[in-house]
Amino acid sequence: MIEVSREKFEELVAEALDTIPAELTRMMSNVVVVVVDDPPEPDLLGLYTGVPLTERGDWYSGVLPDRIEIYRNPICHICDTEDDVVEEVQITVVHEIAHHFGIDDDRLHDLGW
């Protein structure tokens, strides 16, 4: 386990977001990414809540933003070094953004994520 301050962890999440190709970030719509210390259930590193882009239709308007939560404490708990945290944050951010694009866990695992 490694300790990473909330401020530093938020910077790592921002850096991970900056690595997402611009053509994908331009397609992201009505979504917010936040750092949360602890997940609602054990063993979660991140969580996407919302309506994936692939499921939105004409009915989709006036709704609250989708939410991607990245959980600081569980990620720090499974990492031994700051480099491990950087890598795990990157993986988790990509994983949760993929859910925003309608990619499920099975497909992510098939793709190596």
Side-chain angles (χ1 to χ4, degrees), residues 10-63:
E10 288 173 350
E11 289 174 13
L12 296 176
V13 170
E15 290 169 8
L17 288 167
D18 287 343
T19 68
I20 305 299
E23 52 273 10
L24 291 179
T25 58
R26 281 192 296 270
M27 294 170 57
M28 293 174 67
S29 175
N30 200 32
V31 61
V32 62
V33 179
V34 296
V35 170
V36 176
D37 286 338
D38 296 303
E41 57 187 72
D43 301 324
L44 281 180
L45 303 180
L47 181 65
Y48 168 77
T49 306
V51 179
L53 294 175
T54 54
E55 296 178 18
R56 296 179 184 180
D58 293 337
W59 58 268
Y60 187 85
S61 69
V63 299

Side-chain angles (χ1 to χ4, degrees), residues 3-110:
E3 282 292 323
V4 176
S5 71
R6 184 176 181 89
E7 180 178 290
K8 177 63 178 173
F9 194 89
E10 288 173 350
E11 289 174 13
L12 296 176
V13 170
E15 290 169 8
L17 288 167
D18 287 343
T19 68
I20 305 299
E23 52 273 10
L24 291 179
T25 58
R26 281 192 296 270
M27 294 170 57
M28 293 174 67
S29 175
N30 200 32
V31 61
V32 62
V33 179
V34 296
V35 170
V36 176
D37 286 338
D38 296 303
E41 57 187 72
D43 301 324
L44 281 180
L45 303 180
L47 181 65
Y48 168 77
T49 306
V51 179
L53 294 175
T54 54
E55 296 178 18
R56 296 179 184 180
D58 293 337
W59 58 268
Y60 187 85
S61 69
V63 299
L64 292 174
D66 292 4
R67 185 174 173 96
I68 293 174
E69 295 180 347
I70 308 298
Y71 300 116
R72 183 174 68 92
N73 288 333
I75 289 175
C76 291
H77 184 75
I78 65 169
C79 295
D80 295 321
T81 67
E82 189 169 314
D83 287 341
D84 293 342
V85 174
V86 170
E87 181 178 354
E88 196 57 55
V89 165
Q90 178 68 43
I91 291 167
T92 304
V93 166
V94 167
H95 185 99
E96 301 310 326
I97 287 174
H99 290 320
H100 177 66
F101 282 97
I103 302 171
D104 65 17
D105 284 331
D106 290 336
R107 181 67 180 136
L108 281 168
H109 291 293
D110 290 345

